[in-house]
Amino acid sequence: QVQLVESGGGLVQAGGSLRLSCAASGRTFSSYYMGWFRQAPGKERDFVAVISRSGAITAYADSVKGRFTISRDNAKNTVYLQMNSLKPEDTAVYYCAADSEGYSRRGTDMDYWGKGTLVTVSS
């Protein structure tokens, strides 16, 4: 049983930056692959980024590659998403997710989800 709580969302102008955080409960955070997904209004939930248990391996959606960086601090039970050069099309609710099995880009493979944090990029 894992509880995930996202924070750091807000309103930002195009070209700006935000850093999202996801705090996880429990004693086994380091055993999970962690992912970020996002869902824009009227759209399906899409994969954004994933990071391995140690943080050594990362993968990104093509739409965010080179602009977003996923990282984790297992000592703090926290995963981050640094978002730079934000675009209006990045506007979405961003969700943190945990996967006990391994690498996946599919939301259906995730075991736990946070409630999301809203990112709005203007102009």
Side-chain angles (χ1 to χ4, degrees):
Q1 193 72 239
V2 175
Q3 184 176 4
L4 305 174
V5 180
E6 304 95 335
S7 63
L11 176 64
V12 64
Q13 290 188 327
S17 298
L18 284 174
R19 190 194 197 198
L20 306 184
S21 298
C22 174
S25 66
R27 299 180 290 107
T28 59
F29 175 77
S30 63
S31 69
Y32 292 90
Y33 274 63
M34 299 296 298
W36 287 97
F37 294 74
R38 67 186 182 184
Q39 187 168 19
K43 304 289 186 178
E44 294 184 339
R45 190 172 298 184
D46 291 329
F47 167 79
V48 175
V50 66
I51 188 166
S52 64
R53 297 176 180 93
S54 69
I57 302 171
T58 58
Y60 300 90
D62 289 341
S63 58
V64 307
K65 198 171 299 181
R67 299 188 297 120
F68 291 10
T69 303
I70 188 171
S71 62
R72 68 191 297 163
D73 186 340
N74 288 343
K76 296 182 178 180
N77 276 22
T78 303
V79 63
Y80 306 94
L81 185 68
Q82 178 66 46
M83 305 184 295
N84 298 327
S85 301
L86 282 162
K87 304 174 181 179
E89 51 262 44
D90 295 319
T91 296
V93 176
Y94 284 72
Y95 297 90
C96 177
D99 182 4
S100 64
E101 302 300 318
Y103 171 81
S104 179
R105 291 171 175 255
R106 299 189 299 170
T108 52
D109 289 335
M110 303 295 111
D111 299 308
Y112 302 99
W113 292 90
K115 292 182 173 61
T117 185
L118 177 63
V119 172
T120 303
V121 184
S122 65
S123 299

PDB file of all heavy atoms in Angstrom, residues 43-79:
ATOM      1  N   LYS A  43      -8.740  15.033 -22.958  1.00  0.00           N
ATOM      2  CA  LYS A  43      -7.795  14.097 -23.553  1.00  0.00           C
ATOM      3  C   LYS A  43      -7.601  12.882 -22.655  1.00  0.00           C
ATOM      4  O   LYS A  43      -7.978  12.872 -21.489  1.00  0.00           O
ATOM      5  CB  LYS A  43      -6.446  14.775 -23.790  1.00  0.00           C
ATOM      6  CG  LYS A  43      -6.500  16.021 -24.640  1.00  0.00           C
ATOM      7  CD  LYS A  43      -6.806  15.695 -26.083  1.00  0.00           C
ATOM      8  CE  LYS A  43      -6.700  16.943 -26.949  1.00  0.00           C
ATOM      9  NZ  LYS A  43      -6.954  16.645 -28.375  1.00  0.00           N
ATOM     10  N   GLU A  44      -6.980  11.848 -23.214  1.00  0.00           N
ATOM     11  CA  GLU A  44      -6.613  10.674 -22.445  1.00  0.00           C
ATOM     12  C   GLU A  44      -5.344  10.946 -21.650  1.00  0.00           C
ATOM     13  O   GLU A  44      -4.583  11.859 -21.954  1.00  0.00           O
ATOM     14  CB  GLU A  44      -6.403   9.472 -23.362  1.00  0.00           C
ATOM     15  CG  GLU A  44      -7.657   9.000 -24.060  1.00  0.00           C
ATOM     16  CD  GLU A  44      -7.431   7.740 -24.879  1.00  0.00           C
ATOM     17  OE1 GLU A  44      -6.268   7.457 -25.222  1.00  0.00           O
ATOM     18  OE2 GLU A  44      -8.418   7.049 -25.167  1.00  0.00           O
ATOM     19  N   ARG A  45      -5.128  10.132 -20.633  1.00  0.00           N
ATOM     20  CA  ARG A  45      -3.927  10.249 -19.829  1.00  0.00           C
ATOM     21  C   ARG A  45      -2.728   9.694 -20.597  1.00  0.00           C
ATOM     22  O   ARG A  45      -2.757   8.564 -21.078  1.00  0.00           O
ATOM     23  CB  ARG A  45      -4.106   9.512 -18.508  1.00  0.00           C
ATOM     24  CG  ARG A  45      -2.999   9.768 -17.503  1.00  0.00           C
ATOM     25  CD  ARG A  45      -3.335   9.161 -16.147  1.00  0.00           C
ATOM     26  NE  ARG A  45      -4.542   9.748 -15.582  1.00  0.00           N
ATOM     27  CZ  ARG A  45      -5.010   9.462 -14.378  1.00  0.00           C
ATOM     28  NH1 ARG A  45      -4.370   8.603 -13.602  1.00  0.00           N
ATOM     29  NH2 ARG A  45      -6.125  10.039 -13.947  1.00  0.00           N
ATOM     30  N   ASP A  46      -1.666  10.498 -20.697  1.00  0.00           N
ATOM     31  CA  ASP A  46      -0.503  10.144 -21.497  1.00  0.00           C
ATOM     32  C   ASP A  46       0.743  10.000 -20.637  1.00  0.00           C
ATOM     33  O   ASP A  46       0.914  10.688 -19.629  1.00  0.00           O
ATOM     34  CB  ASP A  46      -0.232  11.205 -22.567  1.00  0.00           C
ATOM     35  CG  ASP A  46      -1.281  11.237 -23.656  1.00  0.00           C
ATOM     36  OD1 ASP A  46      -1.857  10.170 -23.951  1.00  0.00           O
ATOM     37  OD2 ASP A  46      -1.527  12.315 -24.215  1.00  0.00           O
ATOM     38  N   PHE A  47       1.613   9.136 -21.090  1.00  0.00           N
ATOM     39  CA  PHE A  47       2.914   8.947 -20.462  1.00  0.00           C
ATOM     40  C   PHE A  47       3.786  10.183 -20.638  1.00  0.00           C
ATOM     41  O   PHE A  47       3.802  10.796 -21.703  1.00  0.00           O
ATOM     42  CB  PHE A  47       3.610   7.735 -21.086  1.00  0.00           C
ATOM     43  CG  PHE A  47       5.060   7.608 -20.750  1.00  0.00           C
ATOM     44  CD1 PHE A  47       5.462   7.097 -19.528  1.00  0.00           C
ATOM     45  CD2 PHE A  47       6.033   7.991 -21.652  1.00  0.00           C
ATOM     46  CE1 PHE A  47       6.800   6.969 -19.210  1.00  0.00           C
ATOM     47  CE2 PHE A  47       7.369   7.870 -21.356  1.00  0.00           C
ATOM     48  CZ  PHE A  47       7.751   7.356 -20.128  1.00  0.00           C
ATOM     49  N   VAL A  48       4.528  10.539 -19.595  1.00  0.00           N
ATOM     50  CA  VAL A  48       5.465  11.653 -19.649  1.00  0.00           C
ATOM     51  C   VAL A  48       6.898  11.182 -19.425  1.00  0.00           C
ATOM     52  O   VAL A  48       7.783  11.449 -20.232  1.00  0.00           O
ATOM     53  CB  VAL A  48       5.109  12.742 -18.619  1.00  0.00           C
ATOM     54  CG1 VAL A  48       6.168  13.836 -18.612  1.00  0.00           C
ATOM     55  CG2 VAL A  48       3.734  13.331 -18.920  1.00  0.00           C
ATOM     56  N   ALA A  49       7.141  10.481 -18.315  1.00  0.00           N
ATOM     57  CA  ALA A  49       8.499  10.066 -17.975  1.00  0.00           C
ATOM     58  C   ALA A  49       8.454   8.928 -16.971  1.00  0.00           C
ATOM     59  O   ALA A  49       7.471   8.766 -16.246  1.00  0.00           O
ATOM     60  CB  ALA A  49       9.302  11.236 -17.399  1.00  0.00           C
ATOM     61  N   VAL A  50       9.534   8.157 -16.918  1.00  0.00           N
ATOM     62  CA  VAL A  50       9.660   7.071 -15.959  1.00  0.00           C
ATOM     63  C   VAL A  50      11.106   6.993 -15.500  1.00  0.00           C
ATOM     64  O   VAL A  50      12.023   7.365 -16.242  1.00  0.00           O
ATOM     65  CB  VAL A  50       9.186   5.726 -16.563  1.00  0.00           C
ATOM     66  CG1 VAL A  50      10.105   5.278 -17.688  1.00  0.00           C
ATOM     67  CG2 VAL A  50       9.056   4.656 -15.490  1.00  0.00           C
ATOM     68  N   ILE A  51      11.301   6.509 -14.283  1.00  0.00           N
ATOM     69  CA  ILE A  51      12.638   6.388 -13.723  1.00  0.00           C
ATOM     70  C   ILE A  51      12.753   5.067 -12.985  1.00  0.00           C
ATOM     71  O   ILE A  51      11.812   4.611 -12.329  1.00  0.00           O
ATOM     72  CB  ILE A  51      12.967   7.590 -12.803  1.00  0.00           C
ATOM     73  CG1 ILE A  51      14.430   7.582 -12.375  1.00  0.00           C
ATOM     74  CG2 ILE A  51      12.030   7.618 -11.594  1.00  0.00           C
ATOM     75  CD1 ILE A  51      14.875   8.905 -11.752  1.00  0.00           C
ATOM     76  N   SER A  52      13.917   4.437 -13.093  1.00  0.00           N
ATOM     77  CA  SER A  52      14.144   3.136 -12.488  1.00  0.00           C
ATOM     78  C   SER A  52      14.320   3.249 -10.983  1.00  0.00           C
ATOM     79  O   SER A  52      14.361   4.341 -10.416  1.00  0.00           O
ATOM     80  CB  SER A  52      15.370   2.470 -13.109  1.00  0.00           C
ATOM     81  OG  SER A  52      16.545   3.212 -12.841  1.00  0.00           O
ATOM     82  N   ARG A  53      14.434   2.093 -10.331  1.00  0.00           N
ATOM     83  CA  ARG A  53      14.504   2.063  -8.869  1.00  0.00           C
ATOM     84  C   ARG A  53      15.661   2.868  -8.305  1.00  0.00           C
ATOM     85  O   ARG A  53      15.510   3.585  -7.313  1.00  0.00           O
ATOM     86  CB  ARG A  53      14.591   0.615  -8.391  1.00  0.00           C
ATOM     87  CG  ARG A  53      13.372  -0.223  -8.743  1.00  0.00           C
ATOM     88  CD  ARG A  53      13.570  -1.669  -8.313  1.00  0.00           C
ATOM     89  NE  ARG A  53      12.403  -2.482  -8.641  1.00  0.00           N
ATOM     90  CZ  ARG A  53      12.262  -3.171  -9.751  1.00  0.00           C
ATOM     91  NH1 ARG A  53      13.231  -3.180 -10.662  1.00  0.00           N
ATOM     92  NH2 ARG A  53      11.161  -3.878  -9.959  1.00  0.00           N
ATOM     93  N   SER A  54      16.804   2.768  -8.937  1.00  0.00           N
ATOM     94  CA  SER A  54      17.984   3.488  -8.480  1.00  0.00           C
ATOM     95  C   SER A  54      18.086   4.888  -9.061  1.00  0.00           C
ATOM     96  O   SER A  54      18.884   5.698  -8.574  1.00  0.00           O
ATOM     97  CB  SER A  54      19.246   2.708  -8.843  1.00  0.00           C
ATOM     98  OG  SER A  54      19.445   2.704 -10.243  1.00  0.00           O
ATOM     99  N   GLY A  55      17.314   5.166 -10.087  1.00  0.00           N
ATOM    100  CA  GLY A  55      17.417   6.424 -10.793  1.00  0.00           C
ATOM    101  C   GLY A  55      18.386   6.413 -11.948  1.00  0.00           C
ATOM    102  O   GLY A  55      18.545   7.434 -12.631  1.00  0.00           O
ATOM    103  N   ALA A  56      19.023   5.279 -12.205  1.00  0.00           N
ATOM    104  CA  ALA A  56      20.030   5.201 -13.248  1.00  0.00           C
ATOM    105  C   ALA A  56      19.439   5.221 -14.654  1.00  0.00           C
ATOM    106  O   ALA A  56      20.119   5.616 -15.599  1.00  0.00           O
ATOM    107  CB  ALA A  56      20.876   3.945 -13.064  1.00  0.00           C
ATOM    108  N   ILE A  57      18.205   4.774 -14.798  1.00  0.00           N
ATOM    109  CA  ILE A  57      17.569   4.681 -16.103  1.00  0.00           C
ATOM    110  C   ILE A  57      16.354   5.593 -16.135  1.00  0.00           C
ATOM    111  O   ILE A  57      15.527   5.574 -15.220  1.00  0.00           O
ATOM    112  CB  ILE A  57      17.144   3.232 -16.412  1.00  0.00           C
ATOM    113  CG1 ILE A  57      18.355   2.299 -16.367  1.00  0.00           C
ATOM    114  CG2 ILE A  57      16.458   3.152 -17.770  1.00  0.00           C
ATOM    115  CD1 ILE A  57      17.995   0.832 -16.437  1.00  0.00           C
ATOM    116  N   THR A  58      16.249   6.383 -17.187  1.00  0.00           N
ATOM    117  CA  THR A  58      15.093   7.248 -17.387  1.00  0.00           C
ATOM    118  C   THR A  58      14.613   7.142 -18.823  1.00  0.00           C
ATOM    119  O   THR A  58      15.370   6.793 -19.728  1.00  0.00           O
ATOM    120  CB  THR A  58      15.403   8.717 -17.071  1.00  0.00           C
ATOM    121  OG1 THR A  58      16.488   9.165 -17.895  1.00  0.00           O
ATOM    122  CG2 THR A  58      15.790   8.880 -15.609  1.00  0.00           C
ATOM    123  N   ALA A  59      13.342   7.450 -19.026  1.00  0.00           N
ATOM    124  CA  ALA A  59      12.768   7.485 -20.361  1.00  0.00           C
ATOM    125  C   ALA A  59      11.706   8.567 -20.402  1.00  0.00           C
ATOM    126  O   ALA A  59      11.056   8.857 -19.389  1.00  0.00           O
ATOM    127  CB  ALA A  59      12.177   6.131 -20.743  1.00  0.00           C
ATOM    128  N   TYR A  60      11.521   9.149 -21.595  1.00  0.00           N
ATOM    129  CA  TYR A  60      10.632  10.286 -21.748  1.00  0.00           C
ATOM    130  C   TYR A  60       9.775  10.152 -22.988  1.00  0.00           C
ATOM    131  O   TYR A  60      10.175   9.543 -23.983  1.00  0.00           O
ATOM    132  CB  TYR A  60      11.425  11.590 -21.866  1.00  0.00           C
ATOM    133  CG  TYR A  60      12.289  11.895 -20.677  1.00  0.00           C
ATOM    134  CD1 TYR A  60      13.601  11.441 -20.613  1.00  0.00           C
ATOM    135  CD2 TYR A  60      11.794  12.643 -19.619  1.00  0.00           C
ATOM    136  CE1 TYR A  60      14.395  11.717 -19.518  1.00  0.00           C
ATOM    137  CE2 TYR A  60      12.582  12.928 -18.523  1.00  0.00           C
ATOM    138  CZ  TYR A  60      13.881  12.467 -18.472  1.00  0.00           C
ATOM    139  OH  TYR A  60      14.670  12.751 -17.378  1.00  0.00           O
ATOM    140  N   ALA A  61       8.598  10.749 -22.921  1.00  0.00           N
ATOM    141  CA  ALA A  61       7.807  10.916 -24.122  1.00  0.00           C
ATOM    142  C   ALA A  61       8.520  11.871 -25.067  1.00  0.00           C
ATOM    143  O   ALA A  61       9.201  12.806 -24.641  1.00  0.00           O
ATOM    144  CB  ALA A  61       6.421  11.458 -23.777  1.00  0.00           C
ATOM    145  N   ASP A  62       8.359  11.637 -26.370  1.00  0.00           N
ATOM    146  CA  ASP A  62       9.015  12.493 -27.350  1.00  0.00           C
ATOM    147  C   ASP A  62       8.630  13.960 -27.185  1.00  0.00           C
ATOM    148  O   ASP A  62       9.444  14.855 -27.437  1.00  0.00           O
ATOM    149  CB  ASP A  62       8.679  12.031 -28.765  1.00  0.00           C
ATOM    150  CG  ASP A  62       9.342  10.720 -29.126  1.00  0.00           C
ATOM    151  OD1 ASP A  62      10.317  10.330 -28.458  1.00  0.00           O
ATOM    152  OD2 ASP A  62       8.886  10.080 -30.095  1.00  0.00           O
ATOM    153  N   SER A  63       7.415  14.212 -26.757  1.00  0.00           N
ATOM    154  CA  SER A  63       6.919  15.574 -26.650  1.00  0.00           C
ATOM    155  C   SER A  63       7.617  16.393 -25.567  1.00  0.00           C
ATOM    156  O   SER A  63       7.563  17.624 -25.605  1.00  0.00           O
ATOM    157  CB  SER A  63       5.409  15.565 -26.389  1.00  0.00           C
ATOM    158  OG  SER A  63       5.104  14.852 -25.204  1.00  0.00           O
ATOM    159  N   VAL A  64       8.258  15.736 -24.614  1.00  0.00           N
ATOM    160  CA  VAL A  64       8.908  16.451 -23.520  1.00  0.00           C
ATOM    161  C   VAL A  64      10.409  16.238 -23.479  1.00  0.00           C
ATOM    162  O   VAL A  64      11.101  16.876 -22.669  1.00  0.00           O
ATOM    163  CB  VAL A  64       8.299  16.068 -22.157  1.00  0.00           C
ATOM    164  CG1 VAL A  64       6.790  16.248 -22.176  1.00  0.00           C
ATOM    165  CG2 VAL A  64       8.674  14.639 -21.769  1.00  0.00           C
ATOM    166  N   LYS A  65      10.929  15.375 -24.326  1.00  0.00           N
ATOM    167  CA  LYS A  65      12.349  15.057 -24.314  1.00  0.00           C
ATOM    168  C   LYS A  65      13.185  16.306 -24.554  1.00  0.00           C
ATOM    169  O   LYS A  65      12.918  17.080 -25.470  1.00  0.00           O
ATOM    170  CB  LYS A  65      12.646  13.993 -25.368  1.00  0.00           C
ATOM    171  CG  LYS A  65      13.959  13.268 -25.189  1.00  0.00           C
ATOM    172  CD  LYS A  65      14.063  12.082 -26.152  1.00  0.00           C
ATOM    173  CE  LYS A  65      12.958  11.062 -25.899  1.00  0.00           C
ATOM    174  NZ  LYS A  65      13.047   9.895 -26.804  1.00  0.00           N
ATOM    175  N   GLY A  66      14.191  16.502 -23.721  1.00  0.00           N
ATOM    176  CA  GLY A  66      15.044  17.667 -23.813  1.00  0.00           C
ATOM    177  C   GLY A  66      14.564  18.844 -23.002  1.00  0.00           C
ATOM    178  O   GLY A  66      15.321  19.803 -22.803  1.00  0.00           O
ATOM    179  N   ARG A  67      13.319  18.806 -22.535  1.00  0.00           N
ATOM    180  CA  ARG A  67      12.759  19.889 -21.734  1.00  0.00           C
ATOM    181  C   ARG A  67      12.467  19.468 -20.297  1.00  0.00           C
ATOM    182  O   ARG A  67      12.598  20.272 -19.383  1.00  0.00           O
ATOM    183  CB  ARG A  67      11.472  20.414 -22.371  1.00  0.00           C
ATOM    184  CG  ARG A  67      11.667  20.983 -23.763  1.00  0.00           C
ATOM    185  CD  ARG A  67      10.399  21.664 -24.269  1.00  0.00           C
ATOM    186  NE  ARG A  67       9.288  20.718 -24.392  1.00  0.00           N
ATOM    187  CZ  ARG A  67       8.130  20.814 -23.739  1.00  0.00           C
ATOM    188  NH1 ARG A  67       7.932  21.838 -22.893  1.00  0.00           N
ATOM    189  NH2 ARG A  67       7.166  19.928 -23.929  1.00  0.00           N
ATOM    190  N   PHE A  68      12.050  18.222 -20.120  1.00  0.00           N
ATOM    191  CA  PHE A  68      11.695  17.714 -18.798  1.00  0.00           C
ATOM    192  C   PHE A  68      12.768  16.754 -18.296  1.00  0.00           C
ATOM    193  O   PHE A  68      13.393  16.032 -19.081  1.00  0.00           O
ATOM    194  CB  PHE A  68      10.366  16.961 -18.838  1.00  0.00           C
ATOM    195  CG  PHE A  68       9.153  17.811 -19.080  1.00  0.00           C
ATOM    196  CD1 PHE A  68       9.246  19.133 -19.460  1.00  0.00           C
ATOM    197  CD2 PHE A  68       7.891  17.259 -18.918  1.00  0.00           C
ATOM    198  CE1 PHE A  68       8.120  19.912 -19.685  1.00  0.00           C
ATOM    199  CE2 PHE A  68       6.754  18.017 -19.135  1.00  0.00           C
ATOM    200  CZ  PHE A  68       6.873  19.343 -19.519  1.00  0.00           C
ATOM    201  N   THR A  69      12.949  16.722 -16.983  1.00  0.00           N
ATOM    202  CA  THR A  69      13.881  15.801 -16.359  1.00  0.00           C
ATOM    203  C   THR A  69      13.225  15.154 -15.148  1.00  0.00           C
ATOM    204  O   THR A  69      12.754  15.857 -14.250  1.00  0.00           O
ATOM    205  CB  THR A  69      15.171  16.506 -15.919  1.00  0.00           C
ATOM    206  OG1 THR A  69      15.787  17.140 -17.040  1.00  0.00           O
ATOM    207  CG2 THR A  69      16.146  15.504 -15.315  1.00  0.00           C
ATOM    208  N   ILE A  70      13.199  13.832 -15.126  1.00  0.00           N
ATOM    209  CA  ILE A  70      12.693  13.105 -13.979  1.00  0.00           C
ATOM    210  C   ILE A  70      13.869  12.686 -13.106  1.00  0.00           C
ATOM    211  O   ILE A  70      14.928  12.318 -13.603  1.00  0.00           O
ATOM    212  CB  ILE A  70      11.854  11.883 -14.407  1.00  0.00           C
ATOM    213  CG1 ILE A  70      11.170  11.230 -13.205  1.00  0.00           C
ATOM    214  CG2 ILE A  70      12.688  10.874 -15.182  1.00  0.00           C
ATOM    215  CD1 ILE A  70      10.157  10.158 -13.582  1.00  0.00           C
ATOM    216  N   SER A  71      13.690  12.764 -11.802  1.00  0.00           N
ATOM    217  CA  SER A  71      14.719  12.346 -10.863  1.00  0.00           C
ATOM    218  C   SER A  71      14.053  11.827  -9.600  1.00  0.00           C
ATOM    219  O   SER A  71      12.849  11.995  -9.408  1.00  0.00           O
ATOM    220  CB  SER A  71      15.679  13.499 -10.542  1.00  0.00           C
ATOM    221  OG  SER A  71      14.991  14.575  -9.929  1.00  0.00           O
ATOM    222  N   ARG A  72      14.842  11.185  -8.748  1.00  0.00           N
ATOM    223  CA  ARG A  72      14.282  10.684  -7.498  1.00  0.00           C
ATOM    224  C   ARG A  72      15.315  10.757  -6.395  1.00  0.00           C
ATOM    225  O   ARG A  72      16.524  10.705  -6.636  1.00  0.00           O
ATOM    226  CB  ARG A  72      13.759   9.250  -7.654  1.00  0.00           C
ATOM    227  CG  ARG A  72      14.831   8.201  -7.880  1.00  0.00           C
ATOM    228  CD  ARG A  72      14.215   6.862  -8.296  1.00  0.00           C
ATOM    229  NE  ARG A  72      13.367   6.306  -7.249  1.00  0.00           N
ATOM    230  CZ  ARG A  72      12.467   5.341  -7.447  1.00  0.00           C
ATOM    231  NH1 ARG A  72      12.288   4.839  -8.668  1.00  0.00           N
ATOM    232  NH2 ARG A  72      11.742   4.880  -6.430  1.00  0.00           N
ATOM    233  N   ASP A  73      14.824  10.871  -5.183  1.00  0.00           N
ATOM    234  CA  ASP A  73      15.648  10.848  -3.990  1.00  0.00           C
ATOM    235  C   ASP A  73      15.046   9.793  -3.081  1.00  0.00           C
ATOM    236  O   ASP A  73      14.067  10.051  -2.382  1.00  0.00           O
ATOM    237  CB  ASP A  73      15.676  12.216  -3.322  1.00  0.00           C
ATOM    238  CG  ASP A  73      16.642  12.286  -2.164  1.00  0.00           C
ATOM    239  OD1 ASP A  73      17.021  11.236  -1.623  1.00  0.00           O
ATOM    240  OD2 ASP A  73      17.030  13.411  -1.787  1.00  0.00           O
ATOM    241  N   ASN A  74      15.617   8.604  -3.095  1.00  0.00           N
ATOM    242  CA  ASN A  74      15.045   7.500  -2.340  1.00  0.00           C
ATOM    243  C   ASN A  74      15.124   7.730  -0.834  1.00  0.00           C
ATOM    244  O   ASN A  74      14.291   7.221  -0.079  1.00  0.00           O
ATOM    245  CB  ASN A  74      15.736   6.190  -2.711  1.00  0.00           C
ATOM    246  CG  ASN A  74      15.361   5.717  -4.100  1.00  0.00           C
ATOM    247  OD1 ASN A  74      14.364   6.165  -4.672  1.00  0.00           O
ATOM    248  ND2 ASN A  74      16.152   4.811  -4.659  1.00  0.00           N
ATOM    249  N   ALA A  75      16.113   8.487  -0.384  1.00  0.00           N
ATOM    250  CA  ALA A  75      16.216   8.796   1.030  1.00  0.00           C
ATOM    251  C   ALA A  75      15.062   9.667   1.498  1.00  0.00           C
ATOM    252  O   ALA A  75      14.711   9.654   2.680  1.00  0.00           O
ATOM    253  CB  ALA A  75      17.546   9.477   1.337  1.00  0.00           C
ATOM    254  N   LYS A  76      14.472  10.433   0.574  1.00  0.00           N
ATOM    255  CA  LYS A  76      13.345  11.300   0.896  1.00  0.00           C
ATOM    256  C   LYS A  76      12.013  10.753   0.406  1.00  0.00           C
ATOM    257  O   LYS A  76      10.988  11.416   0.550  1.00  0.00           O
ATOM    258  CB  LYS A  76      13.564  12.690   0.307  1.00  0.00           C
ATOM    259  CG  LYS A  76      14.750  13.431   0.886  1.00  0.00           C
ATOM    260  CD  LYS A  76      14.873  14.814   0.275  1.00  0.00           C
ATOM    261  CE  LYS A  76      16.026  15.583   0.892  1.00  0.00           C
ATOM    262  NZ  LYS A  76      16.165  16.939   0.294  1.00  0.00           N
ATOM    263  N   ASN A  77      12.022   9.563  -0.182  1.00  0.00           N
ATOM    264  CA  ASN A  77      10.801   8.970  -0.737  1.00  0.00           C
ATOM    265  C   ASN A  77      10.088   9.933  -1.680  1.00  0.00           C
ATOM    266  O   ASN A  77       8.859  10.090  -1.634  1.00  0.00           O
ATOM    267  CB  ASN A  77       9.851   8.548   0.383  1.00  0.00           C
ATOM    268  CG  ASN A  77      10.174   7.182   0.951  1.00  0.00           C
ATOM    269  OD1 ASN A  77      11.293   6.690   0.835  1.00  0.00           O
ATOM    270  ND2 ASN A  77       9.188   6.558   1.584  1.00  0.00           N
ATOM    271  N   THR A  78      10.857  10.550  -2.556  1.00  0.00           N
ATOM    272  CA  THR A  78      10.309  11.594  -3.416  1.00  0.00           C
ATOM    273  C   THR A  78      10.826  11.444  -4.843  1.00  0.00           C
ATOM    274  O   THR A  78      12.003  11.155  -5.060  1.00  0.00           O
ATOM    275  CB  THR A  78      10.670  12.988  -2.887  1.00  0.00           C
ATOM    276  OG1 THR A  78      10.194  13.121  -1.538  1.00  0.00           O
ATOM    277  CG2 THR A  78      10.035  14.076  -3.734  1.00  0.00           C
ATOM    278  N   VAL A  79       9.935  11.655  -5.799  1.00  0.00           N
ATOM    279  CA  VAL A  79      10.296  11.724  -7.205  1.00  0.00           C
ATOM    280  C   VAL A  79       9.945  13.117  -7.708  1.00  0.00           C
ATOM    281  O   VAL A  79       8.963  13.721  -7.254  1.00  0.00           O
ATOM    282  CB  VAL A  79       9.594  10.621  -8.028  1.00  0.00           C
ATOM    283  CG1 VAL A  79       8.080  10.784  -7.996  1.00  0.00           C
ATOM    284  CG2 VAL A  79      10.104  10.607  -9.463  1.00  0.00           C
TER     285      VAL A  79
END
